[in-house]
Amino acid sequence: MINKKYLRILFVVYLLILLRVIVFKYPLERLQEIVASWRSDVLWEGMDRANFVWFRTIKMYVHYWGYKSVNSFGNLVGNILVFIPLGYMLPRLSRAFQNILICLGTGLLVVLAIELFQLLTAFGSFDVDDILLNELGILLGYLFYKMLSYFISNKSLTE
């Protein structure tokens, strides 16, 4: 298995990539424009674009699944896949996160921080469906960790 020191480094790299992909997804020039034009009323702009209704975005993606103009598959699956590493790495890094509720709760805090940042800054848009899909990704990562741990412990018992 991978050394914890390298896993910590990999985890930091993952978090940086996560921030780049989700929060700072715009080109640097666009980010500079957004920051330069930021106003105190940007919060209301974020509220206008926000989705607070469960399954609204998911239903829309499913409805437009076959249309080429809407990247439904990428948005749905991407919101899940991008958080699988978090659910896998947290319990690998610390015994405390091996408790599913602590792992999912910590993941939820990370996801909420990202979504609230998007809401308050208008860097992206707040969506409760993203929270649901991201948590599903964390759960899948955690379950992958548990399955891998089970197979590794059973393999060492048979050797």
Side-chain angles (χ1 to χ4, degrees), residues 2-156:
I2 192 169
N3 181 319
K4 274 207 178 183
K5 175 183 163 186
Y6 295 117
L7 186 63
R8 285 186 188 109
I9 293 169
L10 186 62
F11 185 68
V12 170
V13 169
Y14 162 74
L15 289 177
L16 292 172
I17 291 170
L18 184 70
L19 286 174
R20 174 68 174 101
V21 168
I22 294 178
V23 178
F24 301 109
K25 56 187 158 227
Y26 303 111
L28 185 58
E29 297 80 26
R30 176 70 179 121
L31 286 176
Q32 289 170 337
E33 288 173 25
I34 291 171
V35 171
S37 66
W38 196 87
R39 309 169 312 279
S40 60
D41 63 342
V42 78
L43 171 62
W44 302 118
E45 184 180 315
M47 293 290 274
D48 286 343
R49 293 191 321 217
N51 171 35
F52 295 102
V53 180
W54 291 105
F55 301 105
R56 175 185 285 165
T57 306
I58 293 171
K59 285 179 188 175
M60 180 197 64
Y61 287 149
V62 169
H63 178 76
Y64 290 106
W65 192 267
Y67 293 87
K68 291 183 183 197
S69 61
V70 180
N71 189 6
S72 298
F73 180 81
N75 284 312
L76 281 175
V77 176
N79 269 304
I80 296 168
L81 290 179
V82 75
F83 280 91
I84 289 176
L86 186 66
Y88 175 76
M89 284 193 251
L90 283 176
R92 290 279 317 273
L93 288 169
S94 171
R95 188 176 298 276
F97 296 115
Q98 291 176 5
N99 177 312
I100 190 169
L101 295 178
I102 293 173
C103 184
L104 289 175
T106 303
L108 180 61
L109 290 176
V110 171
V111 170
L112 285 175
I114 291 169
E115 289 296 320
L116 289 174
F117 178 81
Q118 289 179 328
L119 177 68
L120 297 174
T121 63
F123 280 91
S125 55
F126 178 92
D127 191 335
V128 292
D129 289 344
D130 286 353
I131 296 169
L132 180 67
L133 294 168
N134 297 161
E135 277 294 293
L136 178 58
I138 294 166
L139 176 63
L140 291 173
Y142 177 85
L143 293 174
F144 180 70
Y145 161 78
K146 290 302 266 186
M147 286 189 325
L148 198 60
S149 297
Y150 174 79
F151 289 125
I152 289 171
S153 68
N154 279 349
K155 183 179 178 186
S156 65

